[in-house]
Amino acid sequence: MGIIVLLLAAAWTTHHAVADFTTDTETRSRLTVVWISLFLVFLLQTFMYHLERVPHLTERARRQLDSLHVSILVPVYNEDPGYLRLGLESFLRQTRMPDSVHIVDDGSTSSDYTDVRLWWERAAAQAGVSTTWQRMPNGGKRHAQAHAVHASPEADIYLTCDSDSCFAPNAIEEILVPFARPRVMSVAGIVIATNNRTNWLVRVTDLWFVVCQLVDRSGQSAVGAVMVNSGPIAAYRAELIRDNLGSYLTETFMGRPVMFSDDSLLTLYAQQRGLTVQQPRAICFTAMPEKWSHFSRMYLRWMRGSTIRSVWRMRYLSPARPAYWLHAMRWLQMILTQMVTVWLLIVEPFVFGEAPPSTLLVIPFLIGYAQGLRYLSIIRSDERIRQRALTWLSMPVAIVLAWTLLRFLRWYGILTCAKTGWGTRQSGAEVSLNASAGESPQDQPVLVGARTPYPAPTAASSGHQPLHIPAPGPQRDQLDPSSRSY
């Protein structure tokens, strides 16, 4: 209801602003068609992401999913040992344990993982989880994943993650649920920030990232057309990856090998075979950039990868696939938004001598606040609800950032998409678990018995009543006082 009310307010404000743009009493705004087109796109988005539903399993389907061999692929390169261990520990706290975990050190130069490896091999053996740990010369994330694939030929499902991924206690159990439908080829999870309390850059990034997943990607999921799975948590049918491994490792663009955008390429393979969906109850924590230099390099890599993947979608996706048209709609939306911006800031003042009405400033913030309400549908046990509400109130910062610096980086990334190198973590981990907390160790959320901070969520929802996910192990009153469940 909050989303509907805010969107209606945005519609009224848009009408008011358009009415202000008049050349005479009978002529309406020169941007009327553009305004209407953009608002229809927003309404379609809203309608679609409210259609996303979490599937319900029969007992027979659950038994079939339980019989699948799930292998987790963990490529590691110059990762902070604390984050790596935190992630590995989360694999052993699952309500549905993985059958095997395969870790590949891609020639790291800044970290020694001897202690982590010794601990992991003992812990995995005690938990009955098969594991391998390989070290190979640096060849990139895709080659590290390929080594892990070759080490697990018996897998039915490959679960890809990053070396700083920390799964919520029921992440594996939940991400398998959509595979009960035979046509589903890949499943995306929801990614939130482990270090969301470090500074405001991380807070705003977490807000923006979560809203994008629960708005844009949820709408795509409603029609089985998720275009990009998140690297920190995604699951694929094993034969899909095995059959496409050759082209996955040898992708080139303009004659240059592509080192990034691996998740979107795997998603494209899945789109060609069947449905690609999102599971909003499969939650993963990841370390978000804490410095602007790190964030800008990451965002540039995403924009370059997005441009390359756009070319492949137009070339290889069938127009009979919903993803083809959703992709076209996204480009239409981006072009129309650019037209509006240039028209309002340049054409209207300098050509027609009319300053844009001040009400125009209100429209993007109303729409942003409406869509941003989705951020509040994920409830964390390590954060008070008023803190999440405070983050939601910072939506104007995210909007201004998107309309200024990120817009420049987007177009710069499009124009420089031929630069296909990775670009981050070349000199070591850029985010450290101990350094990123921004608080004393006793202030961090800790589960009794855990050796490292473990931020466990208690609810996730996408247009539904919140799903309460109990943390594994001790009861709530045994948790550190700084962690509160809702």
Side-chain angles (χ1 to χ4, degrees), residues 81-277:
Y83 270 115
L84 177 59
R85 175 161 174 164
L86 180 69
L88 295 177
E89 212 169 64
S90 73
F91 299 161
L92 303 181
R93 296 180 178 273
Q94 295 296 303
T95 55
R96 198 285 193 190
M97 298 287 284
D99 297 281
S100 60
V101 177
H102 304 279
I103 303 155
V104 179
D105 181 354
D106 187 32
S108 296
T109 59
S110 65
S111 299
D112 180 6
Y113 303 116
T114 302
D115 292 340
V116 177
R117 178 175 181 173
L118 291 174
W119 161 80
W120 166 251
E121 289 176 344
R122 289 195 302 268
Q126 292 173 0
V129 175
S130 174
T131 188
T132 61
W133 189 303
Q134 309 173 61
R135 178 176 170 85
M136 54 175 281
N138 180 249
K141 180 179 178 180
R142 299 189 191 195
H143 287 273
Q145 288 176 325
H147 275 69
V149 168
H150 292 313
S152 53
E154 71 283 1
D156 298 302
I157 300 291
Y158 285 124
L159 207 165
T160 62
C161 68
D162 291 339
S163 50
D164 58 1
S165 294
C166 174
F167 290 177
N170 64 342
I172 296 178
E173 177 183 359
E174 293 291 350
I175 205 167
L176 291 178
V177 171
F179 286 113
R181 301 171 63 189
R183 291 187 61 203
V184 171
M185 294 291 114
S186 74
V187 182
I190 299 294
V191 179
I192 61 180
T194 314
N195 52 338
N196 66 314
R197 290 182 288 178
T198 302
N199 57 43
W200 276 101
L201 174 61
V202 183
R203 277 181 181 262
V204 173
T205 303
D206 187 41
L207 172 64
W208 167 65
F209 199 30
V210 170
V211 171
C212 284
Q213 294 172 90
L214 293 179
V215 171
D216 193 24
R217 203 163 69 186
S218 287
Q220 297 166 7
S221 180
V223 292
V226 167
M227 286 190 281
V228 182
N229 292 333
S230 297
I233 181 169
Y236 305 86
R237 293 199 184 272
E239 64 271 14
L240 173 77
I241 292 184
R242 294 192 195 106
D243 293 347
N244 290 284
L245 201 56
S247 61
Y248 181 64
L249 296 176
T250 58
E251 182 191 9
T252 59
F253 183 75
M254 297 178 67
R256 302 180 181 184
V258 180
M259 305 295 291
F260 46 60
S261 199
D262 41 277
D263 313 295
S264 61
L265 183 56
L266 292 176
T267 313
L268 179 58
Y269 293 146
Q271 286 169 343
Q272 291 177 310
R273 289 198 182 186
L275 303 178
T276 56
V277 301

Side-chain angles (χ1 to χ4, degrees), residues 322-389:
Y324 182 92
W325 297 104
L326 289 176
H327 171 251
M329 186 178 71
R330 173 180 286 182
W331 275 94
L332 173 66
Q333 183 180 12
M334 186 178 74
I335 292 171
L336 289 179
T337 304
Q338 290 297 126
M339 287 176 55
V340 168
T341 305
V342 172
W343 190 277
L344 294 179
L345 299 182
I346 299 177
V347 177
E348 285 288 344
F350 295 102
V351 177
F352 297 101
E354 294 186 20
S358 58
T359 46
L360 284 174
L361 298 176
V362 180
I363 298 169
F365 298 125
L366 284 172
I367 294 175
Y369 272 129
Q371 296 181 336
L373 283 170
R374 303 281 280 180
Y375 180 76
L376 301 179
S377 68
I378 297 180
I379 303 174
R380 299 173 57 146
S381 65
D382 65 331
E383 185 178 34
R384 298 179 186 275
I385 192 65
R386 62 174 175 264
Q387 289 296 321
R388 292 192 72 73

Side-chain angles (χ1 to χ4, degrees), residues 451-471:
R451 301 185 183 184
T452 49
Y454 186 88
T458 56
S461 172
S462 181
H464 315 287
Q465 291 295 321
L467 166 67
H468 290 274
I469 308 171

